[in-house]
Amino acid sequence: MGPSISLNDVGLRYENNIVLQDISVSLDAGKCHVIMGPNGGGKTSLLRSILGLTPFKGEINVNWTDSKGKIGYVPQKATFEPSLPLTVLDFILLNQSRSPLFFNFNKKHKVKALAQLARLGMADRAMFRMGQLSGGEQQRVLFAQALLDNPDLLILDEPTNGMDDQGVRYFESLISDLVKEQKTILVVHHDISAVRRLEATVHVVNGVLIESGDASEVLQTNKIEQLFNHYRSTPVSDVVNDSTVNSEVA
């Protein structure tokens, strides 16, 4: 099973810009959790804090049921030079074996790589160069790559950006399968209709934690405008000081 995650009074600022303040929430193990909110509300910064990629104030604990498991991560986007002779299959194999390109990859590696690509509907693009793919197709390949090690915790930052309808369907089906396997999924998403289909727990963030709960309760039509207003109705005061700064995730 994937881990639970607890955040206690988490705050983050860049120089004098307060990004997050007093974020306290518990994320249940083996569930899909979606972080939503307006642009600039701190969603990606919250993911980076959980991953230990940026200093933060407060406490974040990733609570594994047994020994520490594996973590998969998909960023918002990646850029690939079109002329770079790196195929989709090469990219997956490199991340699977950590071997130089000129090494001969064994059949087992290739079978596993193609199986992961097939889960995202990208097996027929295996011999395309990464730079030839659309942004949405590249996201699907990055997602396939993140699944190679069978992670127990999967963290996704706007994974459907640029995806067509077919790609979104593959993504939603796969998320459903992973939750059935009791993986913990943490995803930043902006599409309200898509999040409703995921049957996830939603956490709305705009500098502070606005609301948490089941998607059907949080994403009610009469609440949408208030929840996703760019203006912070609750001012984020300068309470993040230069005292204890933590950049490690337990």
Side-chain angles (χ1 to χ4, degrees), residues 26-172:
S26 294
L27 311 180
D28 293 338
K31 304 290 184 182
C32 179
H33 298 272
V34 178
I35 300 174
M36 305 189 76
N39 292 335
K43 303 183 297 296
T44 293
S45 294
L46 186 59
L47 285 193
R48 290 179 58 82
S49 297
I50 292 172
L51 285 164
L53 298 177
T54 189
F56 58 87
K57 178 180 177 293
E59 185 177 22
I60 298 176
N61 291 301
V62 179
N63 308 301
W64 302 96
T65 53
D66 192 4
S67 58
K68 183 176 180 179
K70 296 176 181 178
I71 300 175
Y73 172 56
V74 179
Q76 274 191 16
K77 62 180 179 179
T79 302
F80 296 90
E81 170 58 45
S83 63
L84 183 68
L86 178 72
T87 68
V88 170
L89 184 58
D90 288 335
F91 177 76
I92 298 293
L93 289 172
L94 281 170
N95 283 280
Q96 183 178 176
S97 66
R98 277 66 171 179
S99 298
L101 266 175
F102 53 80
F103 274 39
N104 290 320
F105 298 105
N106 62 42
K107 183 177 179 180
K108 180 180 178 181
H109 283 155
K110 290 183 179 179
V111 169
K112 183 178 179 181
L114 289 170
Q116 295 301 338
L117 288 170
R119 296 181 78 181
L120 274 300
M122 291 298 293
D124 62 345
R125 298 287 195 273
M127 301 313 296
F128 281 51
R129 291 182 179 182
M130 287 295 296
Q132 290 180 293
L133 303 181
S134 69
E137 288 174 330
Q138 289 179 358
Q139 284 299 104
R140 288 158 73 176
V141 174
L142 291 174
F143 196 177
Q145 182 271 327
L147 296 175
L148 283 173
D149 290 332
N150 191 28
D152 304 290
L153 170 60
L154 189 60
I155 297 180
L156 313 168
D157 194 355
E158 296 279 12
T160 61
N161 266 356
M163 279 190 190
D164 58 15
D165 290 342
Q166 182 186 50
V168 172
R169 287 195 297 270
Y170 273 109
F171 168 78
E172 292 176 357

Side-chain angles (χ1 to χ4, degrees), residues 145-208:
Q145 182 271 327
L147 296 175
L148 283 173
D149 290 332
N150 191 28
D152 304 290
L153 170 60
L154 189 60
I155 297 180
L156 313 168
D157 194 355
E158 296 279 12
T160 61
N161 266 356
M163 279 190 190
D164 58 15
D165 290 342
Q166 182 186 50
V168 172
R169 287 195 297 270
Y170 273 109
F171 168 78
E172 292 176 357
S173 175
L174 190 49
I175 291 296
S176 178
D177 290 343
L178 293 171
V179 171
K180 290 175 183 176
E181 297 170 13
Q182 295 189 303
K183 312 290 189 182
T184 301
I185 314 294
L186 182 56
V187 52
V188 167
H189 214 313
H190 66 277
D191 189 321
I192 292 171
S193 297
V195 172
R196 285 171 174 155
R197 293 195 299 269
L198 289 176
E199 298 182 358
T201 301
V202 174
H203 311 276
V204 180
V205 174
N206 187 13
V208 297

